[in-house]
Amino acid sequence: MTDTQREYDVILYGATGFTGKLVAEYLLNAYGVGDDLRWAMAGRSLGKLETVRDELRNDAIPLLTADSDDQASLAKLAALTRVICTTVGPYALYGSGMVAACAEGGTHYCDLTGETQWMRRMIDAHQETAEASGARIVHTCGFDSIPSDLGVLFLQNAMMKTHGVPACHVKYRVAGASGTFSGGTVASLINVMEEASRDRSLRRLLADPYALNPADAPRGDDRNDQTGAIYDEDFDRWTLPFVMAAINTRVVRRSNALMAQRYGEDFRYDEAMLAPEGQGGLKSKLAAAAMTGGTAALAIPPLRAVARRFLPSPGEGPSLEVRERGFFDIRLYGVHPEDRDKDMQARVTGDRDPGYGSTSKMLAESAVCLAQDELACGGGLWTPASAMGEALIQRLQDRAGLSFEITRD
Ligand SMILES: NC(=O)c1ccc[n+]([C@@H]2O[C@H](COP(=O)([O-])OP(=O)(O)OC[C@H]3O[C@@H](n4cnc5c(N)ncnc54)[C@H](OP(=O)(O)O)[C@@H]3O)[C@@H](O)[C@H]2O)c1
């Protein structure tokens, strides 16, 4: 069967979950049903899917069922569509069968995972199959790691256009963000901690700054992610550790490797949060210690159990008000390899909370981009920048409330 003969452009798998419902709502409002985009909602329970469809007040949305424990049902679902867009997570627990089904069936795929160990497993298991079938598999199509991955691509493209060379070092700084976690994200974080506490080789993998690079790709000079407070002269501010850095930096480095070292073999990349303006060294060091201690606490089983009791459960997440009042504001600083007067800066912003309001739009547009845009890459396990690059930047700016701008050139 060729792509165009498939019944759907996009099947949203996991439409009954907290994030899945937001993606469904966005697709319906942005594309209607069956006109500009042929899409359907899928999940493991028809009853729950019908409830979501009732809430969306549109009987025309097709409903399909598949259970992640039933591989035949996943293969059948994947064969019906050009793209599977999945929010069924934690992906390390429930997502592997769908990646296999898409890689084998030549179906493009996008998700919201931030589980580095699972992405490594998927790359190792399915790269060859996806290359052969033509399936473009793209993980991390949410707040992790689209602003990082596409922000770096955007800044590097401008750097090359203006100065003829890529920046040798890009710094990503979170200047502001507002929003909270959902139960599904908490479950994913806790699952990574649980897997890591049982498995030393996994702890080594998670600490490797090039954990997602192809085995034969050159490694640069990047080392550990930031754990304490560091003064950043380029921003004239103290910086604090950023919890998503452990995922995003690996994705950006994989993009560089997959795009034939487009940013250079010595390219360096790091992520941190800017401390509030005027905040001094002592306060920043105390804040950094509290943040690092809080994350480390999740590695201790009894504290994980306590965290589970107080954090949201699967299916729960931030209210409409929190999502609509939310935002994110990211600054990127690119260092010119020879002349610091030619350093450039970019800014990436979003008009909803990063984790859900904005993430659901990023994932939905990634799915539509895979289904409808002319993309240069063939089958394989890609990153957002290496698979969709400028086509996705354009979509996110035109439709999804993101902005990418050069602020200093
Ligand atoms: N990267 C980011 O920026 C970002 C942001 C948000 C979320 N996420 C990730 O997205 C995932 C979903 O988060 P969420 O908050 O939406 O979680 P959620 O509300 O718990 O939803 C999980 C979904 O998975 C489905 N599911 C669970 N087990 C299944 C199975 N065996 N077969 C088929 N479907 C199954 C659930 O179906 P039922 O309704 O039938 O239980 C539900 O639709 C998580 O992994 C989270 O970490 C990432």
Side-chain angles (χ1 to χ4, degrees):
M1 196 193 305
T2 65
D3 255 351
T4 45
Q5 288 168 312
R6 295 196 178 192
E7 201 169 333
Y8 301 106
D9 297 315
V10 174
I11 292 179
L12 168 62
Y13 185 46
T16 57
F18 186 81
T19 320
K21 279 186 214 171
L22 298 179
V23 177
E25 200 180 329
Y26 175 81
L27 286 175
L28 182 61
N29 292 336
Y31 294 97
V33 185
D35 301 329
D36 295 341
L37 187 77
R38 300 166 304 154
W39 67 281
M41 298 196 301
R44 60 178 162 175
S45 151
L46 187 59
K48 276 192 176 182
L49 286 166
E50 282 168 347
T51 306
V52 174
R53 188 168 64 179
D54 289 346
E55 285 166 13
L56 292 173
R57 298 195 190 151
N58 192 313
D59 287 350
I61 305 170
L63 304 180
L64 303 158
T65 53
D67 196 297
S68 69
D69 295 330
D70 174 359
Q71 193 60 26
S73 72
L74 299 178
K76 214 166 134 193
L77 200 71
L80 288 173
T81 183
R82 304 185 77 185
V83 179
I84 288 283
C85 170
T86 172
T87 55
V88 172
Y91 295 89
L93 296 180
Y94 311 124
S96 304
M98 185 54 96
V99 178
C102 288
E104 281 157 21
T107 305
H108 308 316
Y109 166 102
C110 54
D111 71 23
L112 289 179
T113 187
E115 298 146 273
T116 309
Q117 85 289 8
W118 180 70
M119 288 188 264
R120 183 72 256 173
R121 288 205 283 273
M122 294 301 100
I123 293 165
D124 294 340
H126 302 298
Q127 177 67 25
E128 278 178 28
T129 315
E131 278 176 22
S133 73
R136 297 175 179 129
I137 310 281
V138 192
H139 299 302
T140 61
C141 293
F143 183 62
D144 41 317
S145 301
I146 279 185
S148 309
D149 204 26
L150 294 186
V152 173
L153 179 73
F154 178 77
L155 177 60
Q156 291 288 37
N157 283 351
M159 194 82 189
M160 284 186 267
K161 205 169 154 201
T162 312
H163 299 302
V165 286
C168 58
H169 181 186
V170 173
K171 304 172 179 194
Y172 170 108
R173 301 288 178 257
V174 182
S178 146
T180 60
F181 289 118
S182 80
T185 296
V186 170
S188 297
L189 265 173
I190 288 181
N191 183 58
V192 174
M193 291 295 185
E194 268 166 7
E195 279 196 47
S197 66
R198 291 191 299 264
D199 183 345
R200 182 192 295 211
S201 65
L202 176 56
R203 291 199 292 277
R204 261 202 309 273
L205 176 81
L206 293 175
D208 178 359
Y210 297 91
L212 295 179
N213 276 31
D216 55 357
R219 294 167 68 90
D221 289 332
D222 279 327
R223 298 278 177 267
N224 296 341
D225 301 311
Q226 180 171 335
T227 49
I230 297 178
Y231 184 72
D232 186 331
E233 283 184 356
D234 291 320
F235 285 89
D236 192 17
R237 295 262 281 274
W238 283 85
T239 63
L240 308 171
F242 177 47
V243 66
M244 303 291 186
I247 304 154
N248 296 335
T249 54
R250 278 56 170 173
V251 172
V252 169
R253 291 176 196 132
R254 178 169 171 79
S255 287
N256 189 33
L258 294 182
M259 295 190 291
Q261 307 294 328
R262 185 186 177 110
Y263 311 149
E265 282 195 14
D266 299 330
F267 171 66
R268 293 188 46 218
Y269 181 68
D270 58 77
E271 297 196 348
M273 296 195 331
L274 292 178
E277 216 151 348
Q279 180 167 300
L282 180 61
K283 219 168 164 190
S284 298
K285 283 176 190 163
L286 290 171
M291 290 162 78
T292 310
T295 314
L298 281 179
I300 303 164
L303 294 181
R304 263 203 310 271
V306 173
R308 240 196 207 109
R309 283 224 313 277
F310 290 102
L311 291 167
S313 304
E316 296 173 0
S319 66
L320 177 65
E321 198 195 344
V322 169
R323 295 196 309 270
E324 287 192 343
R325 276 208 326 245
F327 72 98
F328 64 84
D329 180 355
I330 308 294
R331 313 291 167 93
L332 293 114
Y333 191 102
V335 177
H336 188 281
E338 280 138 30
D339 182 352
R340 296 297 309 262
D341 286 340
K342 293 180 176 165
D343 290 355
M344 288 181 79
Q345 290 186 51
R347 184 175 184 197
V348 181
T349 60
D351 67 348
R352 293 280 186 279
D353 74 298
Y356 300 92
S358 215
T359 276
S360 55
K361 298 197 278 185
M362 292 185 227
L363 180 65
E365 287 299 338
S366 300
V368 182
C369 182
L370 285 170
Q372 296 188 339
D373 292 350
E374 289 281 333
L375 303 175
C377 65
L381 281 90
W382 297 99
T383 54
S386 60
M388 298 176 277
E390 287 173 27
L392 186 55
I393 291 176
Q394 194 65 49
R395 279 186 172 279
L396 295 174
Q397 301 212 88
D398 291 349
R399 317 187 67 123
L402 268 74
S403 76
F404 294 76
E405 56 178 318
I406 295 297
T407 50
R408 174 186 151 184
D409 53 14

